[in-house]
């Protein structure tokens, strides 16, 4: 019995985030803990029971259900049927393996989990395993299963944009947003110069890696297997239960420096991932949507409660990651969408004009020229300010001298509708 | 020349937020300041010039363009044509009047403006003027002129919901969001027991109140006049220039304890109102929308930058106002929309189950019953926990005993699609 076999066995017997089990392993080591669970049949050793209780107490988790004797009672039935050697062989046959805490490629992000860290991590796939190590290169994109077309589009754009900047996308392999995140990441070419085995996506599964679940995502997950990585903290053959889904969320959050919720209902597993991330001090982003879409209510809730920062594109996600200088430069700049074009359009020629020049601009007529004296009354400025202002505006192409006075000019050739409305020179005053 | 006439004249001569003018009035009083502007023709009095400079310096606003002599130069041309008595008579004929600082009904909210407060406030309309006094009963709803149907719908719902709770809606009388806010507020009946002259809406105008501007909103503004209030800090006959539009925004922000931006582009006057409000320590709310809508980009910007809190309905707006107990109870509860129904639906029967019971729930099959021993292995729980858990779940109608074991039950009669996906009992393990 070595450490690998023992930990492989523990992932089969002890549920994820069972703190009693984690405490027992912390005290005895994995090999002795596994032996105790499998072989001990008499009364629970009093000294170990006390040590486990003390350790849990130190973690503020001293509830009666967490007593060692209750734990041994929970684990015993499963221990009798566990066969870690067979599990290890199976995963090896499937092109996978197991990582142990302390391994070079053990995710640094798991350090934040403390006692709740997994006993080991099963993996499967052709992607380079060292991708798991560095949380700053991993971004989780999660969301509801019943995604809308809006949510899917956002997800695809975020995933593509981040992969182009050298980020690996982590998600849960579920229907809806998760599937779209993996799919879009796989569709994107890795940045130039990137080692080809560095995966663009990682699926964190709630069940064992011997099966691609859910069935509807089998093709997608097989593609993740071919080009990326699947990981799980439970042994092959373990079913993806509700509890394991919930606990899987903490692994996603721990693995990545940034978790993005791209579309989520008011009550969604994605929110649990977001809260795990926030509790660990990781960055959380959420994408807004229509207030009439129940599918965005979860995102709005996160933003409103301060658990997430509002983001609208990959650039804002990177900003949140503190990666304005991406580790790998984008192959090409992302296309400027309608919103970005509008942002640029709104940053207009009025920027940089001082108050008096803005007043003067307002007083300039579109058609019938006004004299300097008329402008002084209309703008409420002195003659000197008017003369100085006219020369500054003329230099910017915003006014033009006519034989009998001055008129407004628009650098773009014609007045914009939006501008006319504000500065409509009323025939009064 | 009395205080009223002098201040009426000042609103004709001095631009809004002209700090030199404000300083002069603070030092000499309105009557003497007005006289100096109108009658003084020689060199600027050195002592007063110094006092103005010192006062502006104390406000951190000592720029050369703010010197008193420059101010007198600006104001003199207009002063020669000002006729405050005629303006007062005109406004009286139009069913309006003027409020002075210190008047009982002078908006308390203007205190936050300091030196930038208006010299006087013109009003017009049949609504009770004391509505202006209390910022906590006033909520501004502002946004872009080129509103979408989405923005208009949000605006109408917010305005209606807030008026039903005794709030008066303040906006700028412009096209788009402003118009919709006034319109929806007018359409709503005031809460029962409310004095009928308490207006449901107030329009803060950038130009003089002798004319309803913009022309396309004439009917709407006439209705505001009949049932609500129009106010302005500039004298009748003053045109609504760009500068006055910008300065009008600070009045809206100052008047209300809460400013809501319901839909706004990246660069929008509504954002200036929001920033004014935030700088004065007032609450600011913004409504999210599609990230692909340029018309929501301004709202997202405010939320992202922390200048506004994300809100999705009137209840969240009231929460922000600190008015969860509205001054006047709603006549009837607002209808529960799709999103609220989804929120309620998502709060489900699993709430309150402890970890072990959730594990057990996951292990229960839908069709073929499982024995207690099988459940112990599947759930990873001891026999005692299984027996206790089955009795608790049975009491909640979540499990049922069969001759050869236990199965899962759904209180609503049939399994939900969402649940099946998670707890699908795989035929393995």
């Amino acid at each position: 019995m070595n450490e690998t076999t023992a930990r492989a066995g523990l992932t089969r017997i002890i549920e994820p985030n069972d703190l009693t089990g984690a405490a027992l392993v912390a005290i005895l080591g994995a090999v002795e803990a596994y032996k105790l669970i499998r072989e001990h049949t008499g009364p629970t050793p009093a000294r170990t029971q006390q040590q486990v209780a003390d350790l849990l107490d130190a973690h503020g988790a001293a509830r009666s259900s967490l007593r060692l004797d209750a734990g041994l009672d929970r684990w015993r039935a499963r221990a009798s049927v566990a066969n870690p050697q067979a599990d290890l062989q199976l995963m090896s046959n499937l092109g996978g393996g197991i990582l142990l805490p302390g391994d070079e490629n053990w995710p640094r992000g798991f350090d934040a989990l403390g006692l709740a860290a997994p006993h080991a991590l099963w993996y499967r796939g052709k992607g380079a395993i060292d991708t798991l190590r560095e949380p700053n290169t991993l971004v989780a994109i999660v969301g509801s299963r019943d995604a809308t077309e809006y949510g899917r589009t956002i997800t695809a754009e975020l995933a593509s944009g981040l992969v182009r900047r050298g980020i690996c996308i982590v998600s849960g392999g579920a229907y809806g947003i998760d599937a779209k995140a993996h799919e879009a990441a796989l569709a994107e070419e890795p940045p130039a110069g990137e080692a080809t085995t560095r995966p663009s996506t990682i699926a964190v599964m709630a069940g064992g890696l011997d099966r691609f679940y859910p069935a509807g995502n089998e093709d997608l997950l097989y593609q993740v297997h071919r080009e990326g990585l699947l990981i799980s903290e439970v042994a092959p053959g373990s079913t993806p239960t509700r509890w394991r889904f919930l606990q899987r969320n903490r692994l996603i959050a721990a693995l990545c420096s940034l978790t993005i919720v791209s579309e989520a209902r008011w009550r969604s597993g994605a929110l649990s991932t977001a809260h795990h991330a926030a509790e660990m001090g990781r960055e959380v982003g959420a994408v807004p949507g229509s207030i009439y879409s129940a599918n965005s209510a979860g995102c709005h809730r996160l933003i409103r409660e301060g658990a997430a920062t509002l983001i609208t594109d990959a650039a804002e996600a990177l900003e949140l990651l503190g990666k304005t200088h991406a580790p790998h430069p984008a192959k090409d700049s992302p296309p400027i969408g309608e919103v970005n074009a509008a942002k640029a359009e709104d940053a207009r020629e009025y920027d940089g004009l001082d108050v008096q020049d803005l007043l003067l601009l307002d007083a300039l007529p579109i058609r019938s020229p006004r004299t300097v004296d008329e402008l002084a009354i209309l703008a409420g400025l002195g003659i000197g300010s008017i003369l100085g202002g006219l020369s500054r505006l003329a230099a910017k192409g915003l006014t033009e001298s006519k034989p009998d006075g001055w008129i407004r000019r628009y650098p773009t050739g014609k007045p914009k509708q939006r501008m006319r409305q504000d500065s409509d020179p009323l025939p009064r005053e």
Side-chain angles (χ1 to χ4, degrees), chain A residues 299-339:
Chain A
C299 290
H300 295 157
R301 181 184 189 179
L302 286 172
I303 296 166
R304 204 175 140 64
E305 291 172 351
T309 300
L310 184 151
I311 60 167
T312 65
D313 56 26
E316 291 178 353
L318 282 173
E319 200 181 302
L320 208 50
L321 193 59
K323 292 178 100 43
T324 41
H325 300 292
H328 305 281
K331 280 181 309 181
D332 46 6
S333 298
I336 292 180
E338 195 202 336
V339 172

Side-chain angles (χ1 to χ4, degrees), chain A residues 70-217:
Chain A
L72 290 171
D73 188 32
R74 276 200 296 278
W75 307 322
R76 204 157 279 153
R78 275 192 191 154
S80 64
V81 296
N83 187 346
Q85 284 88 354
D87 290 342
L88 287 164
Q89 187 58 54
L90 172 63
M91 284 306 294
S92 171
N93 294 346
L94 293 172
I98 193 168
L99 278 179
L100 306 189
D103 280 357
E104 189 193 358
N105 294 322
W106 183 254
R108 278 185 37 215
F110 284 178
D111 294 351
L113 291 169
L115 208 53
H119 298 293
L121 190 66
W122 297 92
Y123 64 86
R124 186 179 171 191
K126 301 210 170 54
I129 196 71
D130 62 359
T131 310
L132 293 166
R133 200 169 46 196
E134 181 49 63
N136 285 329
T137 63
L138 303 170
V139 170
I141 302 183
V142 295
S144 292
R145 288 179 176 78
D146 57 343
T148 66
E149 195 50 42
Y150 174 71
R152 276 191 287 269
T153 307
I154 291 168
T155 302
E157 288 189 3
L158 286 173
S160 300
L162 290 169
V163 169
R164 272 203 299 271
R165 290 164 176 88
I167 299 294
C168 174
I169 304 298
V170 175
S171 196
Y175 292 129
I177 298 299
D178 286 20
K180 196 67 189 179
H182 293 304
E183 189 186 307
L186 288 167
E188 198 63 43
E189 297 283 317
E194 189 68 49
T196 49
T197 56
R198 185 180 156 85
S200 62
T201 195
I202 297 171
V204 187
M205 309 305 288
L209 299 180
D210 53 319
R211 217 180 101 164
F212 295 141
Y213 177 89
N217 281 351

